[in-house]
Amino acid sequence: MPETARGAEADAEPGPTPASEPTPPTPEPRTDQPATDQPRISRRRTMLLAAGALVAVAAVGAGVLAARGSGSGGKATAAADGLPHTTVEVATSGCGSGWTHPQAGHQVFELHNTSSTAAEVYLTDAKTGAVYGEVEGLAPGTVRPLGVTLGNGSYAFRCLPDDADAVTGPTVRITGSKVKSGPAAMPITQQELIPPTLAYQKWIQGRTVELAQKTDVLRAAVDRGDLAAARKAWLPAHLVYERMGAAYGTFGDSDGAINGTTAGLSGGVHDAGFTGFHRVEYGLWHGESASGLRGPADQLAKDVDALESSWPAQRMDPADTGLRAHEILENTVQFELTGRTDYGSGTNLATARANLDGTRVLLGYLGPLLKTRDTGFAELGDWMDRAQHTLDGLDHSGKWTPLSQLSRPQREKVDADLGGLVERLADVAALTDVRRTA
């Protein structure tokens, strides 16, 4: 699951599959897939805690003013959606102004930026600083909605203008309610993310050593002309790389060299730029001779050795660590489960299982931070176990069921379990987002 190499694949042709294995249905390409490893960071910041789950902010079009709630003395007014709407000012001199008649329940705040600069806005617990909802990039003169569910408690808006200090608005109290507030999370700082990121980097170092060893076994088999042994050695080596999912953004060009696909290559599988595991895979499962594969196998081993040598000097960005926990399996669903990275071996489900392993490792390092912030963290573990059990049932002593041979119930089970897990991992990305506190 290379983050950089697959970024441009959203609109690319699927990888080739053997003639005996029809390509599984491919969903409509997504238009939000990034073309580089500046992944979905900005999209992550549009997530907010509301209505008991993480949901995307429904933005009012830029430049359009919405003034529902104005002229009502700060009271919420009903809207077409049936929810109370209250206009709240976002400005250094008036952060939170307008919310003067608090009420409990599910509601919408129309955040109106009356200042001359863009700002982020948080609705916080006035006592703890926990965030109930947020909107980023609120441009001057515009209004965007923030939907939340509030129960008894003390709340305050926090406005964070670009290039200026944060301003906390007046405290608003809700009492006498039987409604339970939606989830809130304490902001995570960059400093808190450094220890788990460093621990993960050390784990990756060990995997680069393992990767080099297993790739050497693959190369040796090709060099001596034993293609049956090479086919047997290919998957163990490839799966080591696939378990390293959260580090792909730091691998740089090595990722494309080691695990790139034909996406964007005019010559397809015959293009000189097609290298790495998938190039060797294509040759091994499409009748290429050992002499023809020696060059690609040798180049793969050299690229892996270069990655092993360079990794100790690399530094992962702690701010991206939680986001990667979501992206690994998000890309698994998009590419592995659609067969778009199958170049003949039929092992996409084995790759999905390796991606699951990689996600579990990363969550292990992030666990201490998540357990105190995510009320659904235990449930996330249950979903991880469910997906693992489903995938393991398709492994028959190392011979994985190809996607094209799944029965309809099997296919639906894989899609449901992996898809449900990805939805829950979106919470991890949002909760581990580094937020400004000053």
Side-chain angles (χ1 to χ4, degrees):
M1 194 287 305
E3 177 67 27
T4 52
R6 294 192 190 174
E9 284 184 41
D11 300 311
E13 291 297 319
T17 55
S20 59
E21 297 181 9
T23 303
T26 302
E28 288 297 315
R30 284 174 36 180
T31 58
D32 64 343
Q33 186 73 8
T36 70
D37 189 57
Q38 297 302 319
R40 289 158 286 272
I41 294 176
S42 61
R43 188 187 66 172
R44 170 177 57 164
R45 295 304 307 272
T46 66
M47 306 300 284
L48 60 95
L49 296 161
L54 285 163
V55 297
V57 177
V60 175
V64 178
L65 297 182
R68 286 171 294 191
S70 61
S72 59
K75 294 182 179 180
T77 59
D81 56 15
L83 297 174
H85 285 239
T86 304
T87 297
V88 173
E89 183 179 1
V90 175
T92 55
S93 60
C95 180
S97 298
W99 190 19
T100 56
H101 292 77
Q103 63 184 72
H106 190 43
Q107 56 197 287
V108 177
F109 292 101
E110 301 286 357
L111 303 179
H112 183 190
N113 188 349
T114 60
S115 71
S116 59
T117 184
E120 295 183 17
V121 190
Y122 302 155
L123 176 57
T124 68
D125 185 305
K127 294 182 178 179
T128 67
V131 177
Y132 284 90
E134 65 179 316
V135 167
E136 68 154 354
L138 183 60
T142 62
V143 176
R144 284 168 62 185
L146 173 63
V148 292
T149 300
L150 301 179
N152 294 334
S154 300
Y155 307 95
F157 278 99
R158 191 167 179 79
C159 304
L160 300 98
D162 288 355
D163 303 320
D165 293 338
V167 178
T168 300
T171 297
V172 175
R173 293 177 177 83
I174 296 176
T175 59
S177 171
K178 295 181 180 180
V179 177
K180 183 179 179 181
S181 295
M186 290 297 297
I188 283 182
T189 67
Q190 178 105 343
Q191 193 68 26
E192 288 177 296
L193 286 169
I194 289 176
T197 303
L198 290 176
Y200 181 77
Q201 283 185 195
K202 185 176 181 180
W203 182 83
I204 289 291
Q205 178 63 51
R207 303 292 72 71
T208 62
V209 174
E210 181 185 5
L211 177 65
Q213 293 170 343
K214 287 191 161 110
T215 304
D216 284 343
V217 173
L218 170 61
R219 174 175 59 178
V222 173
D223 284 348
R224 67 175 181 268
D226 190 346
L227 296 187
R231 282 188 287 271
K232 185 176 180 181
W234 181 86
L235 184 59
H238 185 233
L239 295 185
V240 174
Y241 189 83
E242 290 288 347
R243 293 186 184 100
M244 302 159 69
Y248 294 140
T250 312
F251 288 166
D253 292 341
S254 293
D255 181 36
I258 293 172
N259 211 37
T261 68
T262 55
L265 301 179
S266 60
V269 295
H270 304 295
D271 197 293
F274 183 34
T275 64
F277 277 112
H278 291 304
R279 168 63 182 90
V280 175
E281 176 190 10
Y282 179 81
L284 287 174
W285 275 273
H286 285 82
E288 191 169 352
S289 67
S291 61
L293 275 171
R294 286 192 181 101
D298 287 346
Q299 186 61 51
L300 170 61
K302 291 177 182 177
D303 289 332
V304 166
D305 288 342
L307 176 63
E308 180 190 1
S309 298
S310 66
W311 181 252
Q314 302 303 314
R315 294 293 179 269
M316 294 179 62
D317 185 352
D320 289 347
T321 305
L323 177 63
R324 299 293 189 234
H326 175 239
E327 287 183 335
I328 295 170
L329 289 180
E330 183 182 44
N331 279 6
T332 299
V333 169
Q334 187 174 359
F335 297 108
E336 304 305 335
L337 298 191
T338 57
R340 298 168 75 175
T341 53
D342 181 10
Y343 285 81
S345 66
T347 57
N348 283 68
L349 292 177
T351 299
R353 179 64 167 81
N355 294 161
L356 184 65
D357 287 342
T359 301
R360 193 184 289 276
V361 168
L362 185 58
L363 288 177
Y365 290 117
L366 292 172
L369 295 176
L370 293 172
K371 288 176 183 177
T372 60
R373 290 173 168 86
D374 186 359
T375 57
F377 188 71
E379 182 185 6
L380 178 59
D382 293 340
W383 274 89
M384 295 283 292
D385 292 342
R386 179 188 305 185
Q388 178 175 327
H389 179 75
T390 297
L391 292 173
D392 285 349
L394 302 169
D395 174 15
H396 309 286
S397 300
K399 184 175 177 57
W400 287 80
T401 304
L403 288 173
S404 61
Q405 295 179 19
L406 293 176
S407 66
R408 182 169 182 174
Q410 286 176 322
R411 181 68 201 221
E412 290 175 347
K413 178 66 171 170
V414 170
D415 289 347
D417 288 350
L418 270 295
L421 178 56
V422 168
E423 289 181 10
R424 285 154 180 82
L425 286 168
D427 291 9
V428 173
L431 291 169
T432 55
D433 184 23
V434 175
R435 292 174 171 84
R436 285 180 57 188
T437 56

